Amino acid sequence: QVQLVESGGGVVQPGRSLRLSCAASGFTFSSYGMHWVRQAPGKGLEWVAVISYEGSNKYYGDSVKGRFTISRDNSKNTMYMQMNSLRVEDTAVYYCAKGNNSPGHWGQGTLVTVSS
Amino acid sequence: QSVLTQPPSASGTPGQRVTMSCSGSSSNIGINTVNWYQHLPGTAPKLLIYSNNQRPSGVPDRFSGSKSGTSASLAISGLQSEDAADYYCATWDDSLKGYVFGTGTKVTVL
């Protein structure tokens, strides 16, 4: 069965960096696009970024463009999100999700807290 | 703020039919298919409807979706207590070149 496990969350100060990982299993990882979606406390779902199956195409939400970088290593069945210049408003649960055009199956999420 | 607008809340008694809307524009719903997600706080969101009106395997046929022009809707018939959750519509936006979620509708089972 499809399994997605996020890791790398934690508490970080504003302006610092953090890298999230999403380990995938139960499907042919290299055949699917992958997404990051987040939910800030008390807020709705916000799409963050998507990467194509082979990693050549990447799109970002306006709020993270220029600060976050999505990547993947198909040999390790893992997707990443490098988050730089973190802001208090980046505090959220970050989910990874499988899907070429849209998020289908989701992981349980990892909490990122940006606070001084 | 989101480019897809949903009513903040909806409610019904067990067995009733509940519907919720999702209003977009010509750059998103008008030209792309709509998906719906169910989200219980603290859990992974679940894909409920894809391609406007298709249910993934395992999703009860009580859930149905439709789309007309720049709007979409989700209906839950035979409402059950376990349907209490947040529901989000979503689609690709060609102008933003990104995936967009609706503002979300909280369903309460009275």
Short mmCIF file of all heavy atoms in Angstrom, two decimals, chain B residues 30-54:
data_model
loop_
_atom_site.label_atom_id
_atom_site.label_comp_id
_atom_site.label_asym_id
_atom_site.label_seq_id
_atom_site.Cartn_x
_atom_site.Cartn_y
_atom_site.Cartn_z
N GLY B 30 -12.98 27.05 -14.46
CA GLY B 30 -13.52 27.18 -15.80
C GLY B 30 -12.83 26.31 -16.84
O GLY B 30 -13.43 25.97 -17.86
N ILE B 31 -11.57 25.93 -16.61
CA ILE B 31 -10.83 25.18 -17.62
C ILE B 31 -10.14 23.94 -17.08
O ILE B 31 -9.50 23.21 -17.85
CB ILE B 31 -9.76 26.07 -18.30
CG1 ILE B 31 -8.87 26.75 -17.26
CG2 ILE B 31 -10.42 27.10 -19.20
CD1 ILE B 31 -7.73 27.54 -17.86
N ASN B 32 -10.25 23.66 -15.80
CA ASN B 32 -9.62 22.48 -15.21
C ASN B 32 -10.61 21.70 -14.35
O ASN B 32 -11.61 22.25 -13.90
CB ASN B 32 -8.41 22.89 -14.36
CG ASN B 32 -7.29 23.50 -15.19
OD1 ASN B 32 -6.81 22.87 -16.15
ND2 ASN B 32 -6.85 24.70 -14.85
N THR B 33 -10.29 20.43 -14.14
CA THR B 33 -11.20 19.61 -13.34
C THR B 33 -10.99 19.90 -11.85
O THR B 33 -9.94 20.40 -11.43
CB THR B 33 -10.95 18.11 -13.60
OG1 THR B 33 -9.60 17.80 -13.28
CG2 THR B 33 -11.23 17.77 -15.06
N VAL B 34 -12.02 19.59 -11.09
CA VAL B 34 -12.06 19.91 -9.67
C VAL B 34 -11.94 18.64 -8.83
O VAL B 34 -12.51 17.60 -9.16
CB VAL B 34 -13.37 20.64 -9.32
CG1 VAL B 34 -13.45 20.91 -7.81
CG2 VAL B 34 -13.47 21.94 -10.10
N ASN B 35 -11.19 18.75 -7.75
CA ASN B 35 -11.07 17.68 -6.78
C ASN B 35 -11.63 18.15 -5.44
O ASN B 35 -11.67 19.36 -5.16
CB ASN B 35 -9.60 17.28 -6.58
CG ASN B 35 -8.93 16.91 -7.88
OD1 ASN B 35 -9.46 16.14 -8.68
ND2 ASN B 35 -7.74 17.46 -8.11
N TRP B 36 -12.07 17.21 -4.63
CA TRP B 36 -12.57 17.51 -3.30
C TRP B 36 -11.83 16.65 -2.29
O TRP B 36 -11.56 15.47 -2.53
CB TRP B 36 -14.06 17.23 -3.20
CG TRP B 36 -14.91 18.21 -3.96
CD1 TRP B 36 -15.31 18.12 -5.27
CD2 TRP B 36 -15.49 19.42 -3.46
NE1 TRP B 36 -16.08 19.20 -5.62
CE2 TRP B 36 -16.21 20.01 -4.51
CE3 TRP B 36 -15.47 20.06 -2.22
CZ2 TRP B 36 -16.92 21.22 -4.37
CZ3 TRP B 36 -16.16 21.25 -2.07
CH2 TRP B 36 -16.87 21.82 -3.14
N TYR B 37 -11.50 17.27 -1.14
CA TYR B 37 -10.79 16.58 -0.08
C TYR B 37 -11.57 16.68 1.22
O TYR B 37 -12.19 17.71 1.52
CB TYR B 37 -9.40 17.19 0.13
CG TYR B 37 -8.51 17.11 -1.08
CD1 TYR B 37 -8.52 18.10 -2.05
CD2 TYR B 37 -7.65 16.02 -1.27
CE1 TYR B 37 -7.72 18.02 -3.18
CE2 TYR B 37 -6.83 15.93 -2.39
CZ TYR B 37 -6.88 16.94 -3.34
OH TYR B 37 -6.08 16.86 -4.46
N GLN B 38 -11.49 15.62 2.00
CA GLN B 38 -12.06 15.58 3.35
C GLN B 38 -10.90 15.61 4.33
O GLN B 38 -9.92 14.86 4.18
CB GLN B 38 -12.86 14.29 3.54
CG GLN B 38 -13.49 14.13 4.91
CD GLN B 38 -14.06 12.74 5.09
OE1 GLN B 38 -13.34 11.74 5.00
NE2 GLN B 38 -15.35 12.65 5.33
N HIS B 39 -11.00 16.47 5.34
CA HIS B 39 -9.90 16.58 6.30
C HIS B 39 -10.42 16.66 7.72
O HIS B 39 -11.17 17.57 8.08
CB HIS B 39 -9.06 17.83 6.00
CG HIS B 39 -7.80 17.89 6.79
ND1 HIS B 39 -7.18 19.09 7.13
CD2 HIS B 39 -7.03 16.92 7.32
CE1 HIS B 39 -6.08 18.84 7.83
NE2 HIS B 39 -5.97 17.52 7.95
N LEU B 40 -10.02 15.68 8.50
CA LEU B 40 -10.28 15.72 9.93
C LEU B 40 -9.01 16.23 10.60
O LEU B 40 -7.92 15.73 10.31
CB LEU B 40 -10.65 14.35 10.47
CG LEU B 40 -12.05 13.85 10.12
CD1 LEU B 40 -12.10 13.17 8.78
CD2 LEU B 40 -12.56 12.92 11.21
N PRO B 41 -9.12 17.21 11.48
CA PRO B 41 -7.93 17.78 12.13
C PRO B 41 -7.06 16.70 12.74
O PRO B 41 -7.55 15.76 13.38
CB PRO B 41 -8.54 18.68 13.21
CG PRO B 41 -9.86 19.08 12.66
CD PRO B 41 -10.37 17.87 11.92
N GLY B 42 -5.74 16.83 12.49
CA GLY B 42 -4.80 15.88 13.06
C GLY B 42 -4.60 14.63 12.24
O GLY B 42 -3.81 13.75 12.61
N THR B 43 -5.29 14.55 11.11
CA THR B 43 -5.14 13.39 10.24
C THR B 43 -4.72 13.83 8.84
O THR B 43 -4.72 15.02 8.53
CB THR B 43 -6.45 12.59 10.13
OG1 THR B 43 -7.41 13.35 9.39
CG2 THR B 43 -7.02 12.27 11.51
N ALA B 44 -4.37 12.85 8.00
CA ALA B 44 -4.02 13.17 6.63
C ALA B 44 -5.28 13.48 5.82
O ALA B 44 -6.27 12.75 5.93
CB ALA B 44 -3.27 11.99 6.00
N PRO B 45 -5.29 14.55 5.05
CA PRO B 45 -6.43 14.80 4.17
C PRO B 45 -6.65 13.61 3.23
O PRO B 45 -5.71 12.89 2.89
CB PRO B 45 -6.00 16.05 3.38
CG PRO B 45 -5.03 16.73 4.28
CD PRO B 45 -4.28 15.60 4.95
N LYS B 46 -7.90 13.44 2.84
CA LYS B 46 -8.28 12.30 2.00
C LYS B 46 -8.94 12.80 0.72
O LYS B 46 -9.83 13.66 0.77
CB LYS B 46 -9.26 11.42 2.77
CG LYS B 46 -9.87 10.27 1.98
CD LYS B 46 -10.90 9.54 2.84
CE LYS B 46 -11.61 8.46 2.07
NZ LYS B 46 -12.64 7.77 2.90
N LEU B 47 -8.50 12.27 -0.42
CA LEU B 47 -9.12 12.62 -1.70
C LEU B 47 -10.49 11.98 -1.76
O LEU B 47 -10.62 10.75 -1.69
CB LEU B 47 -8.25 12.15 -2.85
CG LEU B 47 -8.78 12.42 -4.26
CD1 LEU B 47 -8.87 13.92 -4.53
CD2 LEU B 47 -7.89 11.74 -5.30
N LEU B 48 -11.51 12.80 -1.94
CA LEU B 48 -12.89 12.33 -1.89
C LEU B 48 -13.49 12.21 -3.30
O LEU B 48 -14.20 11.27 -3.62
CB LEU B 48 -13.71 13.33 -1.08
CG LEU B 48 -14.94 12.87 -0.33
CD1 LEU B 48 -14.61 11.78 0.66
CD2 LEU B 48 -15.55 14.07 0.40
N ILE B 49 -13.22 13.22 -4.11
CA ILE B 49 -13.72 13.29 -5.48
C ILE B 49 -12.59 13.81 -6.36
O ILE B 49 -11.92 14.77 -5.99
CB ILE B 49 -14.92 14.24 -5.62
CG1 ILE B 49 -16.11 13.76 -4.79
CG2 ILE B 49 -15.31 14.44 -7.08
CD1 ILE B 49 -16.83 12.55 -5.37
N TYR B 50 -12.40 13.21 -7.53
CA TYR B 50 -11.42 13.73 -8.49
C TYR B 50 -12.09 13.89 -9.86
O TYR B 50 -13.15 13.29 -10.11
CB TYR B 50 -10.18 12.85 -8.57
CG TYR B 50 -10.41 11.47 -9.17
CD1 TYR B 50 -10.18 11.22 -10.52
CD2 TYR B 50 -10.85 10.41 -8.38
CE1 TYR B 50 -10.38 9.98 -11.07
CE2 TYR B 50 -11.07 9.16 -8.92
CZ TYR B 50 -10.83 8.94 -10.26
OH TYR B 50 -11.04 7.69 -10.81
N SER B 51 -11.49 14.69 -10.70
CA SER B 51 -12.05 14.93 -12.03
C SER B 51 -13.53 15.28 -11.99
O SER B 51 -14.34 14.73 -12.73
CB SER B 51 -11.83 13.70 -12.94
OG SER B 51 -10.47 13.48 -13.16
N ASN B 52 -13.89 16.19 -11.12
CA ASN B 52 -15.24 16.76 -10.96
C ASN B 52 -16.22 15.83 -10.27
O ASN B 52 -16.99 16.28 -9.42
CB ASN B 52 -15.84 17.15 -12.32
CG ASN B 52 -15.00 18.16 -13.07
OD1 ASN B 52 -14.31 18.97 -12.46
ND2 ASN B 52 -15.03 18.08 -14.39
N ASN B 53 -16.25 14.55 -10.66
CA ASN B 53 -17.33 13.70 -10.18
C ASN B 53 -16.94 12.23 -10.01
O ASN B 53 -17.82 11.38 -9.89
CB ASN B 53 -18.52 13.78 -11.14
CG ASN B 53 -18.14 13.47 -12.57
OD1 ASN B 53 -17.10 12.86 -12.82
ND2 ASN B 53 -18.96 13.89 -13.51
N GLN B 54 -15.65 11.94 -9.97
CA GLN B 54 -15.20 10.56 -9.84
C GLN B 54 -14.78 10.25 -8.40
O GLN B 54 -14.10 11.04 -7.75
CB GLN B 54 -14.01 10.30 -10.79
CG GLN B 54 -14.32 10.59 -12.24
CD GLN B 54 -15.42 9.70 -12.76
OE1 GLN B 54 -15.33 8.48 -12.73
NE2 GLN B 54 -16.51 10.32 -13.26
#
